[in-house]
């Protein structure tokens, strides 16, 4: 019994040192490589057109990708802030960048008064060691948009894309979603210059077995605006 007490004390000290060392290792300040932002329009359940802002920061951290803690978006004019904690962050890796770099952000930022106004915004990220980095970007005034420039339908195994305003969209993709509407796979569509495209779901390679919904995503030429159709259940 007398020998067990020092051993327990030693184990506690070792555990404490391990925790302190893990915290102390986070000394590199993360850096911003790139930022991307996009206004995304879709219909809500009541059929009204709504806007969300997608904002992502390509963050590089010498302490590794797991050192990320949170991200904050701020409208500089009003000081209005949106906090994005780690558990609510979308993480994306892109080939061609460092293994310690990743896209962090969200496509679900919403403005209280419906549309994000023109102006300057600040995006800041912090790591587990308390180090912080930030960058700024500006938004142009929102365009007057009253409807989506395309219609997407699904009948049995056949999908159909009807483009009602070809000047609004230059790129189209189909997104496979899980039962809880999380994106699983994105398929780029090759535009053929016509206002209608269709195809069979069976032509999509590596289709996820847990895919339950599909939706269409369109973007304008400079990718500053995106349009998202309602998710449709897969047969």
């Amino acid at each position: 019994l007398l020998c067990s007490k020092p051993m327990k004390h030693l184990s506690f000290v070792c555990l404490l040192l391990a925790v302190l060392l893990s915290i102390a290792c986070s000394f590199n300040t993360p850096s911003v490589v790139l930022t991307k932002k996009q206004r995304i329009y879709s219909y809500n359940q009541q059929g009204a057109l709504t806007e969300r802002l997608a904002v992502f920061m390509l963050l590089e951290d010498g302490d590794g990708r797991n050192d990320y803690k949170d991200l904050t978006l701020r409208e500089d004019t009003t000081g209005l802030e949106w906090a994005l904690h780690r558990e609510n962050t979308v993480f994306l890796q892109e080939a061609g960048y460092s293994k310690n770099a990743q896209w962090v952000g969200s496509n679900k930022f919403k403005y209280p008064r419906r549309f994000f106004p023109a102006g300057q915004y600040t995006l800041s990220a912090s790591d587990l060691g308390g180090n912080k980095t930030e960058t700024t970007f500006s938004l142009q005034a929102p365009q007057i948009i009253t409807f989506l420039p395309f219609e997407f339908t699904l009948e049995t195994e056949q999908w159909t894309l009807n483009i009602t305003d070809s000047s609004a969209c230059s790129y189209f993709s189909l997104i496979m979603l899980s039962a809880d509407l999380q994106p699983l796979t994105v398929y780029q569509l090759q535009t053929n210059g016509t206002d209608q495209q269709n195809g069979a779901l069976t032509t999509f390679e590596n289709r996820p077995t847990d895919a339950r919904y599909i939706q269409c995503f369109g973007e304008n030429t400079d990718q500053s605006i995106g349009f998202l159709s309602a998710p449709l259940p897969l047969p």
Side-chain angles (χ1 to χ4, degrees):
L1 291 175
L2 291 176
C3 292
S4 65
K5 290 183 179 179
M7 289 299 293
K8 287 183 178 179
H9 177 71
L10 181 61
S11 298
F12 176 77
V13 171
C14 291
L15 179 61
L16 180 60
L17 285 174
V19 172
L20 291 175
L21 284 173
S22 67
I23 295 175
C25 286
S26 182
F27 60 89
N28 289 301
T29 300
S31 59
V32 183
V33 181
L34 289 171
T35 58
K36 290 183 179 180
K37 76 276 187 186
Q38 185 181 65
R39 296 179 187 269
I40 299 178
Y41 297 92
S42 61
Y43 296 121
N44 60 19
Q45 293 182 345
Q46 290 72 41
L49 195 69
T50 62
E51 180 194 81
R52 290 180 292 169
L53 188 67
V55 181
F56 284 86
M57 171 192 288
L58 183 58
L59 192 68
E60 185 166 9
D61 193 331
D63 296 320
R65 294 197 297 256
N66 289 333
D67 196 36
Y68 166 83
K69 181 182 180 183
D70 54 33
L71 181 144
T72 302
L73 172 65
R74 183 178 74 248
E75 182 190 3
D76 292 350
T77 302
T78 63
L80 187 64
E81 290 189 346
W82 295 259
L84 193 66
H85 301 292
R86 182 181 180 87
E87 59 268 23
N88 298 321
T89 301
V90 174
F91 299 93
L92 299 169
Q93 271 70 56
E94 185 174 350
Y97 291 105
S98 162
K99 66 178 182 179
N100 289 328
Q102 64 182 340
W103 289 100
V104 295
S106 174
N107 63 355
K108 296 182 179 180
F109 292 107
K110 291 186 177 181
Y111 200 78
R113 293 186 291 276
R114 194 177 181 189
F115 299 116
F116 279 83
Q120 185 161 297
Y121 294 77
T122 297
L123 193 63
S124 59
S126 62
D127 64 14
L128 295 175
N131 304 304
K132 182 179 290 188
T133 186
E134 66 178 34
T135 186
T136 60
F137 65 88
S138 60
L139 286 179
Q140 302 299 315
Q143 298 183 16
I144 299 175
I145 297 174
T146 56
F147 56 87
L148 295 189
F150 63 86
E151 296 176 351
F152 180 71
T153 57
L154 182 67
E155 186 174 351
T156 59
E157 289 284 335
Q158 295 287 324
W159 59 266
T160 301
L161 171 64
N162 285 307
I163 304 171
T164 55
D165 185 358
S166 57
S167 64
C169 283
S170 300
Y171 312 103
F172 289 94
S173 305
L174 296 185
I175 306 172
M176 297 286 184
L177 307 124
S178 62
D180 57 353
L181 300 179
Q182 295 302 311
L184 297 174
T185 308
V186 178
Y187 300 95
Q188 295 287 132
L189 294 182
Q190 299 297 322
T191 55
N192 54 18
T194 65
D195 290 338
Q196 185 179 93
Q197 296 187 50
N198 53 62
L201 294 176
T202 53
T203 61
F204 293 123
E205 298 181 359
N206 302 319
R207 176 177 164 181
T209 56
D210 55 342
R212 297 295 180 267
Y213 294 89
I214 186 172
Q215 64 185 163
C216 185
F217 181 60
E219 298 176 282
N220 65 345
T221 303
D222 64 3
Q223 298 181 315
S224 62
I225 298 177
F227 304 93
L228 198 58
S229 72
L232 301 176
L234 291 168

